[in-house]
Amino acid sequence: KNEVEQSPQNLTAQEGEFITINCSYSVGISALHWLQQHPGGGIVSLFMLSSGKKKHGRLIATINIQEKHSSLHITASHPRDSAVYICAVPLSNFGNEKLTFGTGTRLTIIP
Amino acid sequence: DSGVTQTPKHLITATGQRVTLRCSPRSGDLSVYWYQQSLDQGLQFLIQYYNGEERAKGNILERFSAQQFPDLHSELNLSSLELGDSALYFCASSGGFQSPLHFGNGTRLTVT
């Protein structure tokens, strides 16, 4: 069983739609990461959070430590949001060490 | 631009060969992390260095080794290459163990 499970695996939506990507994990963690991987392959760290909610522009990440669940929301989605979104958790007491990754959610936004 | 530089961008080599991947971390970052992304295994943590010392080890094969130099750049050495080693290799750096990661653009290794 993977320590990190993401859903859905693939998501296609129309421009402007509200997007939700889910991540569940099975281990106790000190932090959770949301990453974005563009079609060209580059990876960008979107959020690192250990509780509550963080917002950056149209992106919002939430985490529920008790339920071991996190969500990534995108408001007013745009074709440039098309990418693979990856959730990762540390197998360590430190937030960015020994990360184990979900398999990713491939998001396609249609104009 | 993340500030993390990886070279080369692409590498094509034959089975049994040895290659070296290079990573220069963001200015001031002491931690360097190496990850492998393959089609069948997804992203996997390989190894972490902090200020020249090995800090944490993940799913790194014995044929692979890494080091971090006094100027903080790091190298990942892959030897006795097999077809299954074909993958994207990413380096990331951070300013601390609880800080966000900054990723390089990766090195795409193809073993033929």
Side-chain angles (χ1 to χ4, degrees):
Chain A
K1 182 183 185 299
N2 291 336
E3 286 96 351
V4 184
E5 303 274 356
Q6 281 186 244
S7 64
Q9 284 191 317
N10 293 285
L11 179 56
T12 300
Q14 293 290 132
E15 183 174 355
E17 285 189 41
F18 181 81
I19 303 298
T20 296
I21 298 169
N22 296 300
C23 175
S24 296
Y25 52 92
S26 58
V27 297
I29 62 169
S30 53
L32 181 140
H33 298 251
W34 281 103
L35 309 173
Q36 179 191 55
Q37 185 167 28
H38 280 284
I43 296 176
V44 174
S45 175
L46 298 176
F47 296 103
M48 178 180 170
L49 69 167
S50 55
S51 65
K53 176 177 165 177
K54 283 193 175 181
K55 184 174 189 287
H56 185 245
R58 294 179 295 105
L59 274 58
I60 302 164
T62 63
I63 188 168
N64 185 320
I65 297 292
Q66 286 73 31
E67 293 186 5
K68 294 194 167 113
H69 181 269
S70 175
S71 292
L72 177 68
H73 305 286
I74 304 175
T75 62
S77 60
H78 189 277
R80 65 174 173 267
D81 298 324
S82 297
V84 176
Y85 293 84
I86 302 167
C87 166
V89 299
L91 298 182
S92 161
N93 290 331
F94 295 97
N96 60 25
E97 297 194 329
K98 299 182 93 167
L99 292 185
T100 186
F101 298 85
T103 52
T105 295
R106 185 174 299 277
L107 174 66
T108 303
I109 302 298
I110 299 170
Chain B
D1 181 12
S2 68
V4 179
T5 303
Q6 284 190 251
T7 56
K9 285 188 179 178
H10 302 277
L11 201 45
I12 302 174
T13 189
T15 54
Q17 295 299 305
R18 172 189 167 95
V19 296
T20 297
L21 313 184
R22 183 187 166 104
C23 170
S24 293
R26 212 171 54 131
S27 177
D29 285 355
L30 298 179
S31 281
V32 169
Y33 311 74
W34 286 99
Y35 302 93
Q36 179 195 57
Q37 186 177 37
S38 61
L39 281 175
D40 55 342
Q41 301 266 28
L43 263 169
Q44 290 193 95
F45 165 69
L46 295 178
I47 197 163
Q48 176 196 356
Y49 279 82
Y50 174 77
N51 202 21
E53 299 290 325
E54 184 184 302
R55 165 87 181 171
K57 221 168 192 176
N59 300 322
I60 187 166
L61 299 171
E62 284 193 14
R63 300 183 285 109
F64 296 0
S65 65
Q67 55 184 323
Q68 186 179 28
F69 294 86
D71 68 352
L72 300 178
H73 92 271
S74 178
E75 292 180 357
L76 179 67
N77 301 295
L78 315 177
S79 62
S80 303
L81 284 167
E82 301 175 0
L83 296 177
D85 298 326
S86 295
L88 260 172
Y89 291 84
F90 287 100
C91 163
S93 73
S94 77
F97 305 142
Q98 305 284 17
S99 303
L101 296 170
H102 302 271
F103 286 82
N105 288 328
T107 293
R108 185 174 296 277
L109 173 67
T110 303
V111 183
T112 61

